[in-house]
Amino acid sequence: MALLEIRNARREFVTPEGTRLAALDGIDLDIGANEFVTLLGPSGCGKTTLLRAIAGFETLDSGTLALDGNDISTQPPHRRPVNTVFQSYALFSHMTVARNVGYALEVRSVERQVREHAVAEVLEKVGLSGMGTRRPNQLSGGQRQRVALARAIIGKPRLLLLDEPLSALDRNLRQQMQLELKTLQNTLGIAFVFVTHDQEEALTMSDRIVVMRAGKIEQIGSPRQIYRHPKSRFVAEFIGETNLFTVTIDRIDGSHALAHTADGLELILPAGNCKPGGNVQVVLRPADFSISDQGIAATVTKAVYLGSDLHLFVQPTVGGPEISITARDSAQAPQPGSKVHLAYDPAAPHVLETA
Amino acid sequence: MRNPLGWAALTLFSLVFFLFIYAPLLVIIGYSFNSNPVNMMQWEHFTFDWYRGLLGLGERAADPNNRAVYVESTEKMLAALRTSLMVAGLSTTISTVIGTATAIALARYRFRAKGFYNGFLMLPMMMPDIVLGIGLLIFFVTVGIHLSMLTIIIGHCTFLSSYVFIIVQARIAGLDPALEEASADLGASEWVTLRKVLLPQLAPGILGGALLAFVISMDDLVITYFVAGTDNTTLPVFIFGMVRRGVKPEINAIATLMILTSVLIAALGLWLRSRKAD
Ligand SMILES: Nc1ncnc2c1ncn2[C@@H]1O[C@H](COP(=O)(O)OP(=O)(O)OP(=O)(O)O)[C@@H](O)[C@H]1O
Ligand SMILES: [Mg+2]
């Protein structure tokens, strides 16, 4: 049995224009104990609403929420063994850091000494030892983030909800915090539900990614599944750089299929369920291509320097949209204007199940 | 970069502006130390006599025509001051509780006719004092409540609650709703959240509202005049009574003391606010 079972969760809002908008449109999701699940999706797809429904700040119009098999959907927020790290941190500015962190124990009337001990321990865990007497406004953004985290984990919740907790931090700090969060999650043994719209962040941190779109779940899977085997064009384009080709299958040749685009670009794909004459959509990631002596003839139009790698935009000679590829940067790396050939592993193309 | 002419014009404008506001106050303060009992516009020499007279220390200055002393009775004035302080203290306390509770209720709970309540709470502030005063008087007489200190306090609460409400409401509007959610999320019931998070966060607004209410109550003449009855006089009503018989030097001394008190209260407010800020 999963730690949290969400069944057919629905929540509608009435927009200012008077129409109804389903922020959650039949969500089914299981979250396992000690699992790191990321909710990913474009702005307005319902990530925050789902998180708030789990925490108890939104009531569901219909559907159930069960924690360890007990229905919690009617419990008020303060009764749920679930804690939240808010995007705005929501630290209590009139309390010291130590009192902020110890708040969950304070309201449960935990004895002062026990509380102080626990606070010191948690502050140590998030790397803020000795900062207990400060006020939240005497801390940097990253430190506030840690206080919010410490405050949320001190009560040992079953489930920790994090709504874009890193979005206010600069890139370096964000990457550092990503690693720390992941480590912390492992040592604490708490399940994390993490919201982000940064796909890179989702790929690095998650055990499973839930891709949402307009109140529905589009796909659930491990980062690799989501990246390598997106179910739909939406997922493919949302996660990472994508080259998308709409092709017509010419013939099946053993385990491969030969196909061409409307522009006449010829591609080899894994046969899968392809049938001759059928139309399918094919995903090739920039890293799937390599520059070689033969393959798709093309001209480099633009090169973007990324440090050790180069991001190249190449125009196939037969026409059609540009293809984006990555290549290692070196003295022999192609320049804009160079003629190149693109090769790829015939197993690499991913055929989308749905349009 | 700065246009020097424009800059000079702005400076001049501000100076004139401040002069306009503060000159009357400065004149009063100056005259309160002028020993000339007949024509206070004419400077004689520096004296504390008016203050001594007020407080019942030393000899009370006599009317130049030897008819009566200026402040007929220091006791009466002190009694008026006591009434004023009591009215202001009690009505400030009551209206701070009412105003704060209403602001929280309107900001945090959903119920019908919310907009109606919101508008209704502004009304006592917008209504001309004289209308409110007459209205209250007619109400008290109709219902048969004897005019007393109680009626003054009730009268003051009607409009002071609105002032407190407006100030606390502004503070709530600037508050991150996630603060209360965070408190609930961490296991606090609504009551504990109110006590440990909401009220402390609103404290500067509540204090500011209370100070404003206190000052307004101390200052109110028109409404008090209608609902005070005969046995109770507040300081403004008392002074008004004195002035009707001519502006005498002791009035300047009373005014100066009131200015001093207002400045102290304002300074207290600012100090509390700056202390809360960190
Ligand atoms: N209280 C509300 N009243 C009306 N509509 C709401 C309310 N809360 C959310 N919505 C709507 O529900 C939809 C989902 O909102 P939600 O905040 O869950 O999006 P999100 O996925 O978290 O987006 P973002 O990435 O921008 O944070 C949006 O269209 C939003 O406008
Ligand atoms: Mg959101």
Side-chain angles (χ1 to χ4, degrees):
Chain A
M1 185 177 60
L3 174 67
L4 180 72
E5 291 176 355
I6 304 171
R7 289 290 170 269
N8 199 20
R10 296 187 56 82
R11 176 74 167 111
E12 280 187 354
F13 291 113
V14 179
T15 61
E17 297 82 51
T19 56
R20 298 182 147 274
L21 179 140
L24 300 178
D25 193 359
I27 299 282
D28 284 302
L29 179 63
D30 283 357
I31 290 160
N34 202 11
E35 197 180 20
F36 197 121
V37 174
T38 298
L39 305 181
L40 184 63
S43 194
C45 69
K47 306 179 296 286
T48 298
T49 308
L50 181 56
L51 222 55
R52 291 172 58 81
I54 299 174
F57 303 130
E58 291 294 350
T59 45
L60 294 177
D61 295 334
S62 65
T64 58
L65 277 174
L67 194 79
D68 287 325
N70 306 312
D71 186 12
I72 58 165
S73 41
T74 54
Q75 277 183 2
H78 68 272
R79 295 256 161 72
R80 302 192 186 188
V82 168
N83 285 158
T84 308
V85 176
F86 291 83
Q87 182 172 6
S88 60
Y89 308 150
L91 297 179
F92 307 131
S93 55
H94 61 288
M95 298 180 186
T96 61
V97 166
R99 216 179 138 210
N100 264 283
V101 172
Y103 190 79
L105 304 183
E106 183 182 326
V107 300
R108 268 180 243 165
S109 314
V110 172
E111 219 177 296
R112 193 191 179 88
Q113 271 146 8
V114 181
R115 201 164 77 206
E116 278 171 3
H117 187 76
V119 168
E121 198 177 48
V122 175
L123 280 179
E124 160 112 55
K125 218 174 260 173
V126 298
L128 285 181
S129 300
M131 301 263 191
T133 54
R134 295 219 198 162
R135 295 270 170 166
N137 64 358
Q138 298 168 323
L139 299 177
S140 71
Q143 288 168 332
R144 282 179 212 187
Q145 169 65 64
R146 287 159 202 262
V147 174
L149 190 62
R151 186 178 68 172
I153 60 176
I154 199 169
K156 302 199 169 56
R158 302 295 315 274
L159 190 63
L160 190 68
L161 308 174
L162 305 100
D163 194 355
E164 304 194 33
L166 307 181
S167 59
L169 306 181
D170 68 55
R171 193 179 161 79
N172 281 331
L173 194 55
R174 198 159 74 218
Q175 286 174 341
Q176 185 191 339
M177 285 302 292
Q178 285 173 4
L179 290 178
E180 282 184 29
L181 270 180
K182 187 74 189 143
T183 317
L184 193 70
Q185 191 252 337
N186 276 330
T187 50
L188 291 174
I190 300 177
F192 277 33
V193 181
F194 185 93
V195 168
T196 181
H197 47 222
D198 179 343
Q199 35 104 359
E200 212 176 301
E201 197 164 277
L203 291 174
T204 30
M205 302 178 74
S206 327
D207 294 324
R208 274 195 310 157
I209 295 178
V210 178
V211 182
M212 291 178 65
R213 176 190 193 181
K216 291 197 170 71
I217 293 181
E218 188 83 0
Q219 187 174 0
I220 305 181
S222 69
R224 174 165 285 112
Q225 278 168 345
I226 297 275
Y227 187 75
R228 297 271 28 151
H229 304 289
K231 264 189 197 160
S232 62
R233 176 176 182 156
F234 175 82
V235 176
E237 288 184 333
F238 197 76
I239 312 277
E241 283 268 351
T242 304
N243 295 295
L244 197 81
F245 303 93
T246 306
V247 297
T248 310
I249 309 289
D250 296 325
R251 61 192 167 85
I252 308 288
D253 184 3
S255 60
H256 296 304
L258 298 174
H260 70 273
T261 67
D263 300 303
L265 188 69
E266 309 221 313
L267 293 174
I268 305 179
L269 349 155
N273 299 329
C274 296
K275 288 182 185 66
N279 282 322
V280 293
Q281 292 198 305
V282 178
V283 172
L284 272 162
R285 300 289 185 184
D288 291 336
F289 290 100
S290 57
I291 291 174
S292 142
D293 302 335
Q294 50 193 340
I296 304 168
T299 312
V300 177
T301 56
K302 199 161 70 168
V304 180
Y305 182 63
L306 297 176
S308 59
D309 281 342
L310 270 182
H311 196 162
L312 301 175
F313 293 88
V314 299
Q315 174 63 58
T317 313
V318 294
E322 287 187 343
I323 300 175
S324 93
I325 71 169
T326 51
R328 287 206 77 72
D329 186 36
S330 70
Q332 299 89 41
Q335 302 293 316
S338 344
K339 304 269 182 216
V340 292
H341 289 272
L342 304 180
Y344 56 87
D345 178 354
H350 171 66
V351 179
L352 296 180
E353 289 171 24
T354 52
Chain B
M1 273 188 299
R2 257 183 214 148
N3 174 357
L5 206 66
W7 193 246
L10 262 181
T11 313
L12 187 71
F13 177 77
S14 329
L15 280 178
V16 170
F17 174 74
F18 281 115
L19 195 70
F20 187 72
I21 294 184
Y22 286 107
L25 299 182
L26 292 176
V27 166
I28 281 190
I29 295 173
Y31 285 159
S32 75
F33 298 108
N34 183 3
S35 67
N36 188 340
V38 186
N39 182 358
M40 61 185 194
M41 314 288 170
Q42 201 167 30
W43 184 261
E44 233 178 44
H45 59 82
F46 185 90
T47 180
F48 276 122
D49 278 358
W50 312 122
Y51 291 91
R52 270 206 289 275
L54 267 187
L55 300 174
L57 312 165
E59 229 167 286
R60 201 169 284 138
D63 187 294
N65 304 326
N66 251 338
R67 272 200 303 266
V69 287
Y70 294 138
V71 177
E72 300 103 279
S73 152
T74 306
E75 283 71 49
K76 272 194 190 160
M77 191 196 71
L78 287 179
L81 177 64
R82 253 198 313 277
T83 310
S84 266
L85 285 174
M86 221 139 103
V87 167
L90 283 170
S91 52
T92 297
T93 310
I94 297 170
S95 48
T96 301
V97 172
I98 296 178
T100 303
T102 316
I104 291 176
L106 279 176
R108 289 295 181 258
Y109 297 95
R110 296 166 175 277
F111 45 83
R112 293 197 320 176
K114 211 159 139 166
F116 173 78
Y117 280 108
N118 247 321
F120 229 59
L121 278 158
M122 303 281 192
L123 215 52
M125 274 180 13
M126 317 249 213
M127 196 128 61
D129 280 1
I130 194 146
V131 175
L132 200 58
I134 296 174
L136 281 165
L137 178 63
I138 294 175
F139 171 77
F140 289 137
V141 171
T142 314
V143 179
I145 301 177
H146 180 68
L147 295 184
S148 66
M149 186 141 79
L150 181 70
T151 52
I152 306 180
I153 293 174
I154 295 176
H156 282 202
C157 284
T158 54
F159 61 99
L160 293 184
S161 303
S162 297
Y163 283 97
V164 176
F165 167 75
I166 299 273
I167 292 184
V168 176
Q169 193 192 37
R171 178 90 193 168
I172 294 188
L175 210 63
D176 182 1
L179 286 178
E180 289 147 75
E181 290 181 348
S183 172
D185 190 63
L186 293 164
S189 63
E190 270 185 61
W191 172 242
V192 173
T193 300
L194 178 73
R195 222 159 30 90
K196 292 191 187 253
V197 176
L198 194 53
L199 288 180
Q201 286 286 333
L202 295 180
I206 296 174
L207 261 169
L211 285 178
L212 182 70
F214 189 85
V215 173
I216 294 177
S217 170
M218 284 296 286
D219 180 54
D220 178 74
L221 172 67
V222 179
I223 293 166
T224 314
Y225 194 78
F226 282 100
V227 297
T230 44
D231 321 334
N232 291 281
T233 308
T234 60
L235 195 56
V237 176
F238 182 80
I239 294 173
F240 185 64
M242 279 173 74
V243 174
R244 274 195 305 187
R245 275 166 282 136
V247 179
K248 302 289 164 60
E250 281 175 324
I251 303 252
N252 294 333
I254 300 181
T256 304
L257 289 177
M258 288 178 77
I259 293 171
L260 191 69
T261 316
S262 305
V263 168
L264 284 178
I265 291 180
L268 178 72
L270 285 177
W271 178 72
L272 279 170
R273 174 169 276 196
S274 71
R275 220 175 49 122
K276 276 283 159 196
D278 50 49

